[in-house]
Structure formats: C-alpha cells, structure tokens
Amino acid sequence: KIKFKLAYEESYTLANYLKKRYSRYKVKRILERLGNNETIESAFKEELNIKITEFEKRWLNELRAGKLY
C-alpha cells in the first residue's frame, strides 16, 4: 500500500513539474510519442530538448526544494 502511495505522489510531482516548467502541449506530445512506442529518452529529447537524466535531476531538485506540492 505504501509503495502505491509513493508511486502516486512521485507521478503527481513529476506531472506538476512538467506542467510548470513546460506546457500542457509538450506533455501531450510526449504522451503521444510514448503511445506510438517511442522511448521516453527519445520523446524527452525531441519535445523538451533535454536528456531524461537531466530532466530527472532538475525534477528532483525542485522536489527537494518543496516547490512541487
């Protein structure tokens, strides 16, 4: 039960960061690419011009700073 709650909270903060830092349109485009079997690495690089590892680093920094709740 705790793992599900943690996964939900992580996905909430990740989506919140995407929406805050980029736009709903970019989120939509990423989801479309993923729906077309594109890798997450490729989708992020093409839509956000950022490597997934750098995105994760930035997201975690915002999360640690308490800016995503």
Side-chain angles (χ1 to χ4, degrees), residues 23-64:
S23 67
R24 287 180 185 231
Y25 174 76
K26 289 294 185 179
V27 173
K28 181 179 181 239
R29 290 290 300 141
I30 289 169
L31 292 173
E32 287 170 351
R33 286 176 178 274
L34 295 174
N36 290 325
N37 295 321
E38 193 169 324
T39 66
I40 193 163
E41 291 84 3
S42 176
F44 272 60
K45 183 67 177 162
E46 291 298 318
E47 293 301 327
L48 306 179
N49 197 32
I50 190 171
K51 291 183 179 181
I52 191 73
T53 53
E54 181 61 26
F55 172 84
E56 183 177 21
K57 185 172 110 178
R58 293 177 185 184
W59 164 62
L60 288 172
N61 285 339
E62 292 274 320
L63 185 60
R64 288 184 190 112

Side-chain angles (χ1 to χ4, degrees), residues 1 5 12 16 20 22 42-43 48 50 53:
K1 191 174 184 178
K5 184 170 174 36
Y12 171 80
N16 198 24
K20 176 181 160 186
Y22 302 99
S42 176
L48 306 179
I50 190 171
T53 53

